[in-house]
Amino acid sequence: MNTTTPTPTKTDKKFLALFILVPVLIIGFIAVYTMNFLKEEQEFQRIKAEAATICENAGITDVIAHVEGPEKGYGYKTYTLTVTYKGTEKIGSGKLRNILEALNQIDITLKDSIMTSRFRMDGEHYWISAYDGTIYRGITPISTPAGTQSTYISGNPYEGMSEDSINYTDLGPADDVEKCKDFSALREERRTKTYRWYNANGRTKAIATVSYKNGEGYVSSFSLLEYDAEAVKEACEKLKEEKKSTGSDPYHAGDYSDPEDFYEDYYDDFYDYEDAEDYYYDHS
Protein backbone atom coordinates (compact mmCIF):
# COMPACT_ATOMS: atom_id res chain seq x y z
CA MET A 1 0.00 0.00 0.00
CA ASN A 2 1.38 3.29 -1.13
CA THR A 3 1.39 6.21 1.36
CA THR A 4 2.21 9.74 0.38
CA THR A 5 3.30 12.51 2.70
CA PRO A 6 0.90 15.41 2.39
CA THR A 7 2.43 18.62 1.11
CA PRO A 8 2.30 21.38 3.77
CA THR A 9 -0.07 24.15 2.87
CA LYS A 10 0.64 27.87 3.31
CA THR A 11 -1.54 27.89 6.41
CA ASP A 12 0.42 25.03 7.92
CA LYS A 13 3.64 26.91 7.28
CA LYS A 14 2.31 30.02 9.02
CA PHE A 15 1.29 28.05 12.12
CA LEU A 16 4.69 26.36 12.19
CA ALA A 17 6.46 29.72 11.97
CA LEU A 18 4.30 31.13 14.79
CA PHE A 19 4.89 27.98 16.85
CA ILE A 20 8.65 28.56 16.59
CA LEU A 21 8.52 32.40 16.88
CA VAL A 22 6.39 32.72 20.02
CA PRO A 23 8.75 30.76 22.32
CA VAL A 24 11.70 32.67 20.86
CA LEU A 25 9.98 36.00 21.62
CA ILE A 26 9.11 34.88 25.14
CA ILE A 27 12.67 33.72 25.80
CA GLY A 28 14.00 36.98 24.36
CA PHE A 29 11.63 39.05 26.52
CA ILE A 30 12.65 37.14 29.64
CA ALA A 31 16.32 37.56 28.77
CA VAL A 32 15.95 41.34 28.25
CA TYR A 33 13.92 41.70 31.46
CA THR A 34 16.49 39.70 33.42
CA MET A 35 19.37 41.74 32.01
CA ASN A 36 17.61 45.02 32.83
CA PHE A 37 16.76 43.77 36.31
CA LEU A 38 20.36 42.73 36.97
CA LYS A 39 21.65 46.03 35.59
CA GLU A 40 19.23 47.95 37.83
CA GLU A 41 20.20 45.91 40.90
CA GLN A 42 23.91 46.43 40.19
CA GLU A 43 23.28 50.16 39.88
CA PHE A 44 21.35 50.22 43.19
CA GLN A 45 24.16 48.33 44.93
CA ARG A 46 26.69 50.85 43.63
CA ILE A 47 24.56 53.80 44.79
CA LYS A 48 24.03 52.32 48.25
CA ALA A 49 27.73 51.57 48.62
CA GLU A 50 28.59 55.18 47.69
CA ALA A 51 26.03 56.48 50.19
CA ALA A 52 27.49 54.31 52.97
CA THR A 53 31.01 55.53 52.14
CA ILE A 54 29.88 59.17 52.31
CA CYS A 55 28.40 58.60 55.76
CA GLU A 56 31.48 56.72 56.97
CA ASN A 57 33.71 59.58 55.80
CA ALA A 58 31.49 61.93 57.82
CA GLY A 59 32.03 59.80 60.92
CA ILE A 60 28.72 57.91 61.13
CA THR A 61 28.26 54.22 60.42
CA ASP A 62 24.80 53.21 61.67
CA VAL A 63 23.03 53.85 58.36
CA ILE A 64 20.82 51.89 55.98
CA ALA A 65 20.59 52.99 52.33
CA HIS A 66 17.58 52.15 50.18
CA VAL A 67 16.62 53.08 46.61
CA GLU A 68 12.93 53.36 45.73
CA GLY A 69 11.21 53.82 42.39
CA PRO A 70 10.85 54.45 39.66
CA GLU A 71 8.08 57.01 39.33
CA LYS A 72 7.46 58.01 35.73
CA GLY A 73 6.77 61.51 34.52
CA TYR A 74 7.91 64.05 31.92
CA GLY A 75 9.78 61.37 30.02
CA TYR A 76 12.03 60.41 32.95
CA LYS A 77 12.06 57.74 35.61
CA THR A 78 12.63 59.20 39.09
CA TYR A 79 14.30 57.22 41.85
CA THR A 80 14.68 58.21 45.52
CA LEU A 81 17.72 57.38 47.62
CA THR A 82 16.85 57.29 51.34
CA VAL A 83 19.63 56.97 53.91
CA THR A 84 18.33 56.17 57.39
CA TYR A 85 20.52 57.01 60.38
CA LYS A 86 19.87 54.76 63.37
CA GLY A 87 22.55 56.11 65.73
CA THR A 88 21.77 58.12 68.86
CA GLU A 89 24.49 60.75 68.40
CA LYS A 90 23.26 64.20 67.37
CA ILE A 91 24.39 65.42 63.97
CA GLY A 92 25.15 69.13 63.64
CA SER A 93 23.83 71.12 60.70
CA GLY A 94 27.34 71.41 59.22
CA LYS A 95 27.85 67.66 59.07
CA LEU A 96 24.27 67.13 57.87
CA ARG A 97 24.82 69.65 55.08
CA ASN A 98 28.04 67.91 53.99
CA ILE A 99 26.26 64.54 53.89
CA LEU A 100 23.25 65.84 51.95
CA GLU A 101 25.40 67.70 49.43
CA ALA A 102 27.51 64.59 48.85
CA LEU A 103 24.46 62.35 48.50
CA ASN A 104 23.06 64.76 45.92
CA GLN A 105 26.23 64.30 43.86
CA ILE A 106 25.62 60.56 43.44
CA ASP A 107 24.50 60.04 39.85
CA ILE A 108 22.28 57.28 38.49
CA THR A 109 23.44 55.89 35.14
CA LEU A 110 20.23 54.13 34.10
CA LYS A 111 18.83 55.46 30.83
CA ASP A 112 16.40 58.40 31.10
CA SER A 113 16.59 58.31 34.90
CA ILE A 114 17.14 60.89 37.64
CA MET A 115 17.54 60.49 41.38
CA THR A 116 16.77 62.57 44.49
CA SER A 117 18.32 62.00 47.91
CA ARG A 118 17.12 62.40 51.48
CA PHE A 119 18.39 61.58 54.96
CA ARG A 120 16.10 60.05 57.58
CA MET A 121 16.86 60.68 61.26
CA ASP A 122 14.63 60.42 64.36
CA GLY A 123 11.62 59.69 62.16
CA GLU A 124 12.05 62.86 60.09
CA HIS A 125 13.23 63.29 56.50
CA TYR A 126 15.96 65.86 55.80
CA TRP A 127 16.80 67.00 52.30
CA ILE A 128 18.65 69.85 50.62
CA SER A 129 17.22 72.09 47.94
CA ALA A 130 19.12 72.03 44.67
CA TYR A 131 17.82 75.58 44.08
CA ASP A 132 19.35 77.51 46.99
CA GLY A 133 20.99 74.95 49.30
CA THR A 134 18.41 75.27 52.07
CA ILE A 135 18.11 72.18 54.30
CA TYR A 136 14.54 71.08 55.03
CA ARG A 137 13.10 68.89 57.76
CA GLY A 138 10.04 67.58 55.96
CA ILE A 139 8.65 70.81 54.51
CA THR A 140 10.18 73.06 57.19
CA PRO A 141 13.38 74.95 56.30
CA ILE A 142 15.92 74.61 59.12
CA SER A 143 19.25 75.83 57.74
CA THR A 144 20.47 78.00 54.88
CA PRO A 145 24.00 78.15 53.43
CA ALA A 146 26.49 80.46 55.11
CA GLY A 147 26.25 84.01 53.82
CA THR A 148 22.53 83.84 52.96
CA GLN A 149 19.62 85.15 54.97
CA SER A 150 17.87 82.47 57.02
CA THR A 151 14.30 81.57 56.11
CA TYR A 152 11.38 82.09 58.47
CA ILE A 153 10.59 78.88 60.35
CA SER A 154 7.06 78.28 61.59
CA GLY A 155 6.73 77.33 65.26
CA ASN A 156 9.21 77.61 68.13
CA PRO A 157 12.82 76.46 68.46
CA TYR A 158 13.09 72.70 68.97
CA GLU A 159 15.74 70.28 70.17
CA GLY A 160 18.27 69.60 67.43
CA MET A 161 17.64 72.89 65.57
CA SER A 162 20.75 74.59 64.23
CA GLU A 163 21.83 77.69 66.15
CA ASP A 164 21.88 79.48 62.78
CA SER A 165 18.07 79.21 62.64
CA ILE A 166 17.14 79.99 66.23
CA ASN A 167 16.31 83.67 65.61
CA TYR A 168 13.97 82.97 62.68
CA THR A 169 11.05 81.22 64.40
CA ASP A 170 7.68 82.59 65.55
CA LEU A 171 9.41 83.98 68.66
CA GLY A 172 11.60 86.26 66.56
CA PRO A 173 15.16 87.20 67.53
CA ALA A 174 16.13 86.44 71.13
CA ASP A 175 16.09 89.41 73.52
CA ASP A 176 19.16 88.22 75.37
CA VAL A 177 21.99 85.75 74.69
CA GLU A 178 24.24 84.72 77.56
CA LYS A 179 27.38 82.61 77.24
CA CYS A 180 28.29 80.21 80.02
CA LYS A 181 31.14 81.16 82.34
CA ASP A 182 34.59 80.81 80.71
CA PHE A 183 32.90 80.02 77.38
CA SER A 184 36.01 80.50 75.23
CA ALA A 185 38.28 78.56 77.58
CA LEU A 186 36.07 75.46 77.77
CA ARG A 187 36.20 72.43 75.50
CA GLU A 188 33.62 72.61 72.74
CA GLU A 189 31.29 70.00 74.26
CA ARG A 190 31.26 71.91 77.58
CA ARG A 191 30.21 75.24 76.08
CA THR A 192 26.62 76.49 76.23
CA LYS A 193 24.67 79.62 75.39
CA THR A 194 21.30 80.59 76.83
CA TYR A 195 18.83 82.41 74.57
CA ARG A 196 15.96 84.27 76.30
CA TRP A 197 12.81 85.92 75.00
CA TYR A 198 10.82 88.38 77.18
CA ASN A 199 7.17 89.41 77.18
CA ALA A 200 5.87 92.99 77.27
CA ASN A 201 6.30 93.11 81.06
CA GLY A 202 9.94 92.06 80.88
CA ARG A 203 9.30 88.54 82.13
CA THR A 204 11.05 85.58 80.56
CA LYS A 205 8.61 83.78 78.26
CA ALA A 206 10.96 81.29 76.58
CA ILE A 207 14.45 79.87 77.13
CA ALA A 208 16.62 77.86 74.74
CA THR A 209 19.96 76.29 75.60
CA VAL A 210 22.48 75.82 72.80
CA SER A 211 25.24 73.21 73.04
CA TYR A 212 28.12 72.53 70.67
CA LYS A 213 29.59 69.55 68.85
CA ASN A 214 31.71 69.07 65.74
CA GLY A 215 31.98 72.82 65.27
CA GLU A 216 28.23 73.37 65.19
CA GLY A 217 25.75 74.79 67.69
CA TYR A 218 22.39 73.10 68.17
CA VAL A 219 19.42 73.57 70.52
CA SER A 220 19.80 71.03 73.33
CA SER A 221 16.73 72.17 75.32
CA PHE A 222 13.81 74.57 74.93
CA SER A 223 11.19 75.74 77.43
CA LEU A 224 8.15 77.90 76.83
CA LEU A 225 7.04 79.65 80.06
CA GLU A 226 3.39 80.57 80.39
CA TYR A 227 2.07 82.94 83.05
CA ASP A 228 -1.42 83.41 84.41
CA ALA A 229 -1.19 87.20 84.57
CA GLU A 230 -4.18 87.68 86.88
CA ALA A 231 -3.01 85.00 89.30
CA VAL A 232 0.51 86.44 89.38
CA LYS A 233 -0.81 89.95 89.97
CA GLU A 234 -3.10 88.79 92.75
CA ALA A 235 -0.27 86.88 94.45
CA CYS A 236 2.06 89.88 94.19
CA GLU A 237 -0.54 92.20 95.71
CA LYS A 238 -1.12 89.80 98.57
CA LEU A 239 2.60 89.42 99.21
CA LYS A 240 3.08 93.19 99.11
CA GLU A 241 0.36 93.73 101.71
CA GLU A 242 1.86 91.06 103.95
CA LYS A 243 5.26 92.72 103.73
CA LYS A 244 3.78 96.12 104.56
CA SER A 245 1.96 94.76 107.62
CA THR A 246 5.08 93.08 109.00
CA GLY A 247 7.38 95.95 108.09
CA SER A 248 9.95 93.47 106.75
CA ASP A 249 11.97 94.02 103.58
CA PRO A 250 13.53 90.75 102.39
CA TYR A 251 14.65 92.47 99.17
CA HIS A 252 16.60 95.24 100.93
CA ALA A 253 15.13 97.97 98.76
CA GLY A 254 16.98 100.58 100.81
CA ASP A 255 20.27 99.31 99.42
CA TYR A 256 19.38 100.52 95.90
CA SER A 257 19.70 104.08 94.64
CA ASP A 258 16.80 103.87 92.18
CA PRO A 259 13.85 101.57 91.36
CA GLU A 260 15.33 100.60 87.98
CA ASP A 261 18.33 98.84 89.56
CA PHE A 262 16.03 97.26 92.14
CA TYR A 263 13.68 95.89 89.45
CA GLU A 264 16.57 94.55 87.38
CA ASP A 265 17.62 92.29 90.26
CA TYR A 266 14.12 91.20 91.32
CA TYR A 267 11.97 91.37 88.17
CA ASP A 268 10.88 87.75 88.63
CA ASP A 269 9.35 88.58 92.04
CA PHE A 270 7.06 91.36 90.84
CA TYR A 271 4.21 91.54 88.37
CA ASP A 272 5.76 94.42 86.40
CA TYR A 273 8.03 97.42 86.78
CA GLU A 274 5.31 99.60 88.36
CA ASP A 275 4.70 96.96 91.01
CA ALA A 276 8.43 96.82 91.84
CA GLU A 277 8.60 100.61 91.83
CA ASP A 278 5.75 100.87 94.38
CA TYR A 279 7.52 98.37 96.61
CA TYR A 280 10.79 100.25 96.31
CA TYR A 281 9.31 103.55 97.45
CA ASP A 282 7.36 101.85 100.24
CA HIS A 283 10.56 100.36 101.70
CA SER A 284 13.37 102.77 100.87
Side-chain angles (χ1 to χ4, degrees), residues 203 236 239 243 251 263 265-271 275:
R203 289 182 174 276
C236 288
L239 180 61
K243 290 171 181 174
Y251 300 115
Y263 180 63
D265 283 352
Y266 294 108
Y267 69 90
D268 271 339
D269 296 300
F270 295 90
Y271 176 70
D275 188 38

Side-chain angles (χ1 to χ4, degrees), residues 237-248 279 283:
E237 291 293 337
K238 183 178 179 181
L239 180 61
K240 186 165 63 173
E241 291 302 320
E242 289 176 355
K243 290 171 181 174
K244 280 184 179 180
S245 64
T246 60
S248 63
Y279 180 91
H283 294 83

Side-chain angles (χ1 to χ4, degrees), residues 8-22:
T9 65
K10 289 184 178 181
T11 303
D12 293 334
K13 291 179 179 179
K14 287 181 180 180
F15 276 116
L16 180 60
L18 286 174
F19 181 78
I20 296 173
L21 181 60
V22 169

Side-chain angles (χ1 to χ4, degrees), residues 21-66:
L21 181 60
V22 169
V24 171
L25 290 175
I26 292 175
I27 293 170
F29 175 79
I30 293 173
V32 170
Y33 177 83
T34 302
M35 289 176 62
N36 288 339
F37 176 79
L38 292 175
K39 184 178 180 181
E40 188 178 75
E41 282 300 306
Q42 288 176 350
E43 182 69 352
F44 290 171
Q45 292 300 324
R46 179 190 65 81
I47 291 170
K48 290 188 286 187
E50 283 194 32
T53 300
I54 288 169
C55 294
E56 288 173 3
N57 291 339
I60 60 174
T61 55
D62 298 326
V63 298
I64 296 175
H66 180 64

Side-chain angles (χ1 to χ4, degrees), residues 182-221:
D182 299 326
F183 180 88
S184 300
L186 293 173
R187 296 195 307 271
E188 181 185 41
E189 62 270 18
R190 300 291 297 277
R191 297 174 183 172
T192 60
K193 283 183 188 176
T194 302
Y195 285 73
R196 291 187 178 89
W197 292 261
Y198 302 125
N199 62 18
N201 293 322
R203 289 182 174 276
T204 302
K205 67 178 181 180
I207 299 175
T209 301
V210 170
S211 300
Y212 295 86
K213 195 166 189 179
N214 300 322
E216 297 291 334
Y218 64 94
V219 177
S220 53
S221 68

Side-chain angles (χ1 to χ4, degrees), residues 1 5 41 63 76 78 87 125 145 225:
M1 179 176 178
T5 304
E41 282 300 306
V63 298
Y76 289 92
T78 302
H125 282 115
L225 310 177

Side-chain angles (χ1 to χ4, degrees), residues 61-63 84-90 121-122:
T61 55
D62 298 326
V63 298
T84 303
Y85 174 57
K86 293 186 172 294
T88 57
E89 180 184 353
K90 292 288 184 181
M121 177 172 59
D122 296 333

